[in-house]
Amino acid sequence: MQEFTFIKQNIDKWKSYDSLAGWLYTPKVDDLIHAYDDVMADLAYANTQYPNSRICIYLNDLCMRLHEAVYKQRRYGFRAFLHLFTYEIPRVVALNHRILIAAFVIFACFTLSGVILAFQDEANIRNTLGDAYVNMTVENIRNNEPTAVYAGGEEMTSFLGILWNNVRVTFLMFASGLIPFVGPVYFMYHNGVMLGEFQSLFFLYGAGIGFRSMTAIWIHGAFEISSIIIAAGAALTLSWGWMFPGTYSRKQSLRMHGQVAIRILTSVVPLLTVAAFFEGFLTRHVEYPLVVKLLLILGSFGFIIYYYVILPYIIWRRERKFINMEDLK
């Protein structure tokens, strides 16, 4: 058998075994043992027929990870926590980057539509945010305190209330994935249009007011909005497993994709906590120097880009989990 034919006949099976080795919770031991034995047989054949091929490296790596999944003892404590956030989650992000990119693009399009609606007619903003909130914001703008809404209340009380609301919205976004695609897209539409219209409201009263509002809002907004987009990506992952089970049963596919989605969702919990802290304790201080505000905003976005783009790419490059079919022709 030619090497390309051998790979083409088995690549889908190997990818399914790869997902078994990467689950958040250990699947049935019998399934892992079957996968391990099957891959060992394929590796023995590849070593005999194609001893200098990259496919041998790939299958050997897959065997090692399946072996580890069968025999390893689960680690607990700080080391397991550190391993989860420094390796497991970025790896899952790397393998599901297309869905996360799709979530970002969809959310950005809805936000842009909110901006367009806001500049078309202020009534559109009132329909979304409500007359009371818009009137309050306009009054604050006229008093030269455009972001005064963030200054109310005691800091710790605000922090806890904001954290609860952020977690509630984000987990509702994730749960909407059980309504395949319609649920996540609706939540992205609602939040994206609201964001676009809210930010545009300040620019309707001048570019200076708009810029001042951005230097306050995005102190916490960098983490908060990123969390919503990432949760939307997790919800789309859940929907994909529900609608396109492939060779799995629908129940197995939903379980597998659900566990991947939970890993992605887990990563936003620290982001939501930091976002709530920033909004409760820092956003209200409009007297902070501009350079401090910009450092907080740019530092937050820099962290998001590193953790969700650069680190997953580094891990993907290092491990080379999947074989490129075109390279093996």
Side-chain angles (χ1 to χ4, degrees), residues 223-237:
F223 283 132
E224 185 177 299
I225 300 305
S226 297
S227 296
I228 292 175
I229 295 172
I230 295 162
L236 290 174
T237 301

Side-chain angles (χ1 to χ4, degrees), residues 32-87:
L32 286 170
I33 292 175
H34 169 74
Y36 177 70
D37 291 341
D38 196 10
V39 175
M40 279 293 291
D42 289 339
L43 176 60
Y45 180 84
N47 280 329
T48 302
Q49 300 296 323
Y50 327 111
N52 298 316
S53 171
R54 288 173 55 203
I55 195 62
C56 297
I57 300 173
Y58 171 76
L59 292 174
N60 185 66
D61 174 74
L62 183 55
C63 280
M64 290 175 61
R65 289 187 296 104
L66 286 168
H67 182 275
E68 182 184 8
V70 173
Y71 293 105
K72 75 177 180 180
Q73 295 293 324
R74 279 292 188 187
R75 294 176 295 178
Y76 297 94
F78 179 74
R79 289 185 63 189
F81 177 84
L82 192 63
H83 183 73
L84 173 66
F85 280 93
T86 59
Y87 170 73

Side-chain angles (χ1 to χ4, degrees), residues 3-276:
E3 181 183 358
F4 179 74
T5 303
F6 172 68
I7 295 171
K8 187 175 181 180
Q9 288 180 353
N10 293 284
I11 190 66
D12 291 336
K13 176 185 69 176
W14 295 333
K15 287 183 178 181
S16 70
Y17 291 161
D18 186 277
S19 64
L20 275 179
W23 281 8
L24 178 60
Y25 302 108
T26 303
K28 293 180 180 179
V29 175
D30 290 344
D31 292 340
L32 286 170
I33 292 175
H34 169 74
Y36 177 70
D37 291 341
D38 196 10
V39 175
M40 279 293 291
D42 289 339
L43 176 60
Y45 180 84
N47 280 329
T48 302
Q49 300 296 323
Y50 327 111
N52 298 316
S53 171
R54 288 173 55 203
I55 195 62
C56 297
I57 300 173
Y58 171 76
L59 292 174
N60 185 66
D61 174 74
L62 183 55
C63 280
M64 290 175 61
R65 289 187 296 104
L66 286 168
H67 182 275
E68 182 184 8
V70 173
Y71 293 105
K72 75 177 180 180
Q73 295 293 324
R74 279 292 188 187
R75 294 176 295 178
Y76 297 94
F78 179 74
R79 289 185 63 189
F81 177 84
L82 192 63
H83 183 73
L84 173 66
F85 280 93
T86 59
Y87 170 73
E88 294 185 20
I89 290 175
R91 176 178 177 270
V92 166
V93 169
L95 297 177
N96 294 274
H97 67 280
R98 289 185 178 87
I99 289 181
L100 291 170
I101 291 172
F104 172 78
V105 171
I106 294 170
F107 189 88
C109 289
F110 285 138
T111 302
L112 180 60
S113 68
V115 172
I116 294 171
L117 289 171
F119 279 94
Q120 283 181 342
D121 193 341
E122 188 177 307
N124 293 326
I125 305 177
R126 294 181 177 274
N127 290 336
T128 302
L129 301 179
D131 286 330
Y133 189 84
V134 173
N135 290 337
M136 177 190 67
T137 303
V138 171
E139 184 64 25
N140 290 335
I141 291 172
R142 288 172 178 167
N143 293 332
N144 200 32
E145 297 177 338
T147 57
V149 65
Y150 297 108
E154 194 269 331
E155 292 177 339
M156 180 58 71
T157 303
S158 297
F159 162 66
L160 294 175
I162 293 164
L163 178 60
W164 165 249
N165 182 68
N166 288 351
V167 170
R168 180 183 62 84
V169 170
T170 303
F171 278 77
L172 282 175
M173 171 75 82
F174 174 73
S176 71
L178 294 173
I179 307 174
F181 301 113
V182 175
V185 170
Y186 170 77
F187 269 86
M188 282 189 281
Y189 163 77
H190 178 73
N191 287 280
V193 170
M194 183 182 295
L195 172 63
E197 292 184 344
F198 172 68
Q199 183 63 83
S200 298
L201 175 61
F202 297 96
F203 279 93
L204 289 176
Y205 291 85
I209 295 294
F211 179 75
R212 284 177 59 192
S213 72
M214 289 185 68
T215 59
I217 294 168
W218 288 98
I219 289 176
H220 64 271
F223 283 132
E224 185 177 299
I225 300 305
S226 297
S227 296
I228 292 175
I229 295 172
I230 295 162
L236 290 174
T237 301
L238 195 63
S239 295
W240 189 273
W242 178 251
M243 290 298 293
F244 302 104
T247 58
Y248 298 99
S249 69
R250 199 171 298 276
K251 181 179 179 180
Q252 289 174 323
S253 178
L254 183 61
R255 179 189 174 193
M256 183 177 71
H257 284 80
Q259 290 174 359
V260 169
I262 288 173
R263 283 190 180 184
I264 296 173
L265 185 69
T266 300
S267 70
V268 308
V269 175
L271 303 185
L272 293 173
T273 304
V274 175

Side-chain angles (χ1 to χ4, degrees), residues 226 298-312:
S226 297
L298 295 176
S300 298
F301 278 118
F303 175 82
I304 295 295
I305 292 171
Y306 172 77
Y307 190 77
Y308 290 97
V309 179
I310 297 175
L311 183 57

